[in-house]
Amino acid sequence: NSRAPTPSFGPLPRARTMAPTAFKDIGKLCSDLLSKDYKTGSNSVEVKSKVPNGITFTPKADKTGDKFSGSLAAKSAVPGGADLEVTLKTSGVMSASLEAANMMKGLSLTLDCETPAPGKPGLLSSGKGTLDYKTDALTAKGSYDYYRGDAHAAASSAFKALTFGACADYSVSKSSLSKYAAACQYVAPDFTVCAKLNEALGKPDGMVYAGSYYHKVSPKMQVGTEVSKAAKKDAVSLAFGCQYKLDKDLTVKGKVDADGMLSASYKHKLSNISTLTLATVIDTVHLAESSKHKFGLALNLTP
């Protein structure tokens, strides 16, 4: 009797390492779910338009109580493959940002500056340079503000589905470390888990532990939970919320936290050029006090 040959399946496939998430974006999915579209206490209108020569103008107006503020931003490509954006605020402050992407493979440079408020001395109040570097295995960022004397560095890397990173802020004027943080994140196809530790040195409650969980239940629904605790306090901060897409143009969100604040938002794409967002925050501990509740409206127009 001849013996059947043993089938060969070859080596098992290895788990693929994902591209590392930038340190500032670790935990961003849950953070955006629990913070975006909940702006209250003010009403705002923003219009974004692009003229034939390629310049994009973005006027924005905000009204908070009896106070009004606004800004006008202009963004355009400049020779050399860079983008220049200049913003003028009604407060009299002007800022500019020049971004040169892909100076080398994976390397970009951003220069930012801002004038001081009227009545304050000096040509500039801030002048910062930022370098971003990205590869398949590493992301790194470094920045320095010449006028404020603040330096920042951050890096992150990935191993399979796990991203880990750290950052630190250093005050050149004080010759001391002012803040540091470390974080790790696990990403699965339908959920993300994140843990963070950060400390602001010199503050009594500077060290804070935080964790978050984001779950994409379906293409229409996402839920998230965020918990944090200061090392020297017994109280634990907790917030959880969800987002549901009723249709392609309408999204509703809800959130509640450990302080009894109930938040809700309604985002409706009215047309191809306009989006309306309504948000409210209700203090469930003081329901009878109308001054504790807040409302906000934002209208975005992009002709």
Side-chain angles (χ1 to χ4, degrees):
N1 296 331
S2 60
R3 189 174 180 180
T6 302
S8 176
F9 298 100
L12 293 174
R14 294 183 178 180
R16 183 180 177 183
T17 296
M18 302 177 65
T21 303
F23 181 80
K24 67 181 180 63
D25 293 330
I26 293 178
K28 188 175 185 295
L29 287 174
C30 187
S31 177
D32 284 352
L33 178 68
L34 298 177
S35 61
K36 270 193 166 184
D37 302 324
Y38 287 118
K39 186 178 180 181
T40 58
S42 67
N43 300 320
S44 65
V45 177
E46 181 181 273
V47 181
K48 184 178 290 187
S49 61
K50 190 172 186 178
V51 295
N53 63 2
I55 302 177
T56 300
F57 289 98
T58 308
K60 184 177 181 181
D62 287 278
K63 185 177 182 297
T64 304
D66 297 329
K67 296 181 179 180
F68 174 86
S69 63
S71 64
L72 174 63
K75 185 175 183 179
S76 175
V78 295
D83 291 323
L84 174 65
E85 182 172 12
V86 178
T87 303
L88 176 63
K89 300 177 182 179
T90 52
S91 62
V93 173
M94 179 179 288
S95 61
S97 177
L98 179 67
E99 181 179 358
N102 298 320
M103 296 177 57
M104 295 170 51
K105 185 178 180 181
L107 181 67
S108 63
L109 170 67
T110 304
L111 300 175
D112 298 286
C113 65
E114 186 174 275
T115 62
K120 292 189 176 181
L123 177 65
L124 295 173
S125 62
S126 174
K128 183 171 71 172
T130 304
L131 281 172
D132 277 284
Y133 182 66
K134 297 179 181 179
T135 68
D136 293 337
L138 173 74
T139 69
K141 179 179 181 179
S143 66
Y144 178 67
D145 191 319
Y146 175 80
Y147 288 87
R148 297 176 182 173
D150 294 333
H152 171 82
S156 62
S157 187
F159 176 73
K160 297 184 179 178
L162 182 68
T163 296
F164 48 92
C167 76
D169 290 353
Y170 183 82
S171 175
V172 176
S173 59
K174 297 179 181 178
S175 299
S176 63
L177 190 68
S178 57
K179 184 168 63 175
Y180 69 89
C184 63
Q185 175 177 268
Y186 178 81
V187 179
D190 58 352
F191 73 90
T192 301
V193 180
C194 170
K196 289 184 178 182
L197 165 68
N198 62 76
E199 181 176 9
L201 301 175
K203 294 185 178 180
D205 302 316
M207 184 176 288
V208 177
Y209 305 96
S212 66
Y213 171 75
Y214 170 87
H215 185 193
K216 187 175 182 180
V217 180
S218 70
K220 291 185 175 182
M221 185 175 183
Q222 295 91 45
V223 298
T225 302
E226 197 170 59
V227 61
S228 63
K229 182 185 182 303
K232 296 182 180 180
K233 289 186 177 180
D234 295 330
V236 176
S237 298
L238 173 69
F240 60 91
C242 67
Q243 171 181 294
Y244 188 78
K245 198 171 183 66
L246 296 172
D247 56 42
K248 63 183 181 67
D249 297 325
L250 181 58
T251 302
V252 292
K253 296 176 70 175
K255 178 182 75 170
V256 65
D257 63 28
D259 295 324
M261 306 302 289
L262 176 64
S263 306
S265 77
Y266 171 96
K267 189 172 185 178
H268 189 190
K269 186 177 180 182
L270 302 175
S271 67
N272 290 332
I273 66 169
S274 60
T275 302
L276 174 68
T277 304
L278 304 175
T280 184
V281 175
I282 298 173
D283 188 342
T284 60
V285 180
H286 304 92
L287 283 173
E289 301 179 37
S290 59
S291 61
K292 298 288 185 179
H293 315 313
K294 296 181 180 179
F295 175 80
L297 178 151
L299 178 64
N300 297 84
L301 301 173
T302 309

